[in-house]
Amino acid sequence: MVYDVLENKIEFLKGVGPRRAAILNKELQIFSFGDLLQYYPFRYVDKSRIHKVTEINSDQIYYQLIGRVSELKSYGEPRTTRITARFTDDSGSIELVWFKGLKWVKTRFTPGQQYVLFGKASLFNGQYNFVHPDIEDYTPQLVPVGESLEGVYNSSETMKNNGLGSKQLTKLIKKLLLQVQQTVPEVLPEKILTQHKLMPRALAFQQIHLPSDAPSLEKATKRLKFEEYFFFQLNLLLRKKSRERIKNGVLFSRVGKLFHQFYAENLPFELTGAQKKVIREIRHDLATGHQMNRLLQGDVGSGKTIVALMIILLAIDNGYQAALMAPTEILANQHYQSLKHLLEGMPVNLALLTGSTKARDRKPMFSSLADGSLHLIIGTHALIEDKIQFHNLGLTIIDEQHRFGVAQRARFREKTDKPPHTLVMTATPIPRTLAMTQYGDLDFSIIDELPPGRKPIKTIHLFQSQRLRLLSFMRKQLAEGRQIYIVYPLIKESEKLDLIYLQEGYESLLRDFPEPDYRICVVHGQMKSEDKDFEMQRFIKGQAHIMVATTVIEVGVDIPNASVMVVEHADRFGLSQLHQLRGRVGRGADQAYCVLMTDYKLSSDGRKRMDTMVRTTDGFEIAAVDLELRGPGETTGTRQSGQVELKIGNLLKDEKIIRHVRNVVNQLLDEDPKLAQEDNIRTRNYFDKKFRQQFDWSEIG
Ligand code: ADP
Ligand code: MG
């Protein structure tokens, strides 16, 4: 293995040491020289421009001024808490304020001398001032002629308090660059560098931190983005290609008895054209001998479950077992109930496994899984636990788990000799750039049609002051025999408070809708799962009219008679969550409604979310607005799952470059599938290191 200076531990960089290293570890996940080198400025300021005091009209941009400091005043006696001064140039003057380092400030300035001030203005009581500006003695050489871009780094409060603010980070990075400049290894193939006119890696690191001018900064950015997407795509395309190349997939060669019987006798409705198309696509995959890895997208209510069931029957017909995994117990339970119902009278053994399955039920379940007598297991994450062994797992279906990454999908694979076919189903529309980065190893299918007879859900936004309108609307709906969901936010940080809101809401509902005429059930994440189940069942069976819940019902739950969804504090939910919640209604033939309740006062984001929900039911349009408002990581929860962690790329803006890089990698792998040519070896070595040897090159024949 070649020594790579960038792997040196960060604490060994001069000026860092163990204490600051610990802070860098914790705050920024910076552990090595390389990590620090890839901590890029989030913005650049141009230090060549000298402003005038009278030009200051924004607290958003940085200003550089030249002038004199006078009228130093101390506040607070005997212990000074604040010092102010005036900064004056030939256009006017502005106040300076310090709260810290006051001793130093007191003796810092010589009357009459000129200083260079640099900082962001603050707006205080309608007046601009500078709080803790950077000030240096003025010498004519100090002010650069021509453009001079300086990087600004994000740093947390803890970092600033420990000498790791933007300025100090700049210093450290400068030192680091000096030390490693000569030894930073190139990782892309020479041919690709020349062909696409990419800046060498070492120079790119230099220029991204300390740009000589704007064009060089642009070139450095381009190079580093290219590299970042390159290795992402390499990881995805290697997997995709090796899957396509090798015939180690389970063969579902025939359409057998179960499939036909179900189609003829049990299918409760005519499949939509889109459902038929998708089943055809999947059947095609299953008969090729290659392993299927497919993402099935279909908006809420488009009917993915029945597609899953029919594919499961294909697997069983061909002598294999199938697993269906859902993100929550409620959803797993519901799948179990509804599949059991759909399969009535058919010789299929199925079981439900979740975290709350009792030990004494587990034992026989595990042994029938291992001997093959259990055909289908439905459950939560419990399904990928190590203990579980299959006789011959041929198919795994992962429902509503778009957060499930490449590595997690691979866990099912360890449970059999042959990799099982995998179908990932999601109702969350995935923007194209994200699809290419996070799911670039999968094939895609889309159900782009809803079952017939669905009326678009009517969405209304009401303020708290209009609650009486809500109540009378609810009474009318209940009188017509409908059921109603009322959802409260439950967000981790404020769980206690949120539960109080939910509790209060529940109590006031009890007053507005008293027993015995009305029955209300409650479901939230902190209840025992038996209690949750019990309450769910009351609602499903129609014994309760109103369900008060948190987002535990967000995904998948399917109760056709529930046609009204009320969302309390709706502005505290993200758009995709609201869309999911709304998707819980409108599943029967009745007109469905979604009511979004908020305070009159809303943030501009909040207002935009409400307006979007009222305007459209199109999941893709909603996803687009969501991406715009929140950025890609937040939109799909990928930030937490650590899937697409980009250091420099930006999924909002980079569609073109991602597409380009994907083509480049595709071509490279066509020419040299194992990256064994001399020019490509460094790329392969770096890839192995970066992805910790996860890819098995011997799979490529
Ligand atoms: P999702 O794609 O959100 O998982 P489901 O599979 O839960 O959707 O289906 C939503 C509802 O539509 C269910 O009640 C299901 O029985 C019904 N459904 C599915 N396909 C059809 C169809 N072709 N015709 C009529 N109803 C259907
Ligand atoms: Mg579903």
Side-chain angles (χ1 to χ4, degrees), residues 539-667:
F539 196 62
I540 291 169
K541 291 181 189 146
Q543 294 160 356
H545 307 99
I546 299 175
M547 172 185 276
V548 175
T550 58
T551 45
V552 289
I553 62 151
E554 182 183 335
V555 286
V557 175
D558 181 22
I559 301 168
N561 191 50
S563 60
V564 180
M565 166 65 63
V566 179
V567 185
E568 298 282 358
H569 306 283
D571 53 317
R572 287 183 53 194
F573 292 91
L575 267 177
S576 64
Q577 254 183 328
L578 290 171
H579 181 61
Q580 283 290 337
L581 284 170
R582 179 167 62 184
R584 295 309 106 219
V585 297
R587 297 177 158 247
D590 312 304
Q591 175 62 54
Y593 299 90
C594 174
V595 186
L596 306 171
M597 301 298 295
T598 70
D599 282 338
Y600 185 70
K601 253 180 99 174
L602 274 175
S603 67
S604 67
D605 262 27
R607 183 166 303 276
K608 186 144 189 199
R609 272 178 272 142
M610 297 309 117
D611 292 349
T612 305
M613 288 299 293
V614 170
R615 186 183 73 237
T616 182
T617 53
D618 178 342
F620 274 92
E621 194 179 337
I622 290 171
V625 179
D626 199 25
L627 191 66
E628 182 192 311
L629 288 179
R630 295 207 291 170
E634 302 297 333
T635 319
T636 48
T638 44
R639 190 156 295 161
Q640 301 96 294
S641 75
Q643 275 300 302
V644 182
E645 251 194 54
L646 297 174
K647 292 203 155 60
I648 190 163
N650 178 341
L651 293 181
L652 280 178
K653 296 183 182 157
D654 292 345
E655 179 165 351
K656 232 171 96 188
I657 175 162
I658 296 173
R659 214 173 272 287
H660 169 63
V661 173
R662 190 168 167 90
N663 287 336
V664 171
V665 175
N666 231 327
Q667 200 184 341

Side-chain angles (χ1 to χ4, degrees), residues 3 162 186 191-192 196 360 426 473 522:
Y3 167 71
N162 286 281
E186 181 54 72
K191 211 170 106 190
I192 287 180
H196 302 282
R360 71 178 126 83
T426 179
F473 172 73
V522 185

Side-chain angles (χ1 to χ4, degrees), residues 70-82:
S70 59
E71 297 177 40
L72 238 66
K73 284 189 199 131
S74 305
Y75 295 83
E77 286 303 330
R79 289 199 53 210
T80 310
T81 53
R82 172 167 62 109

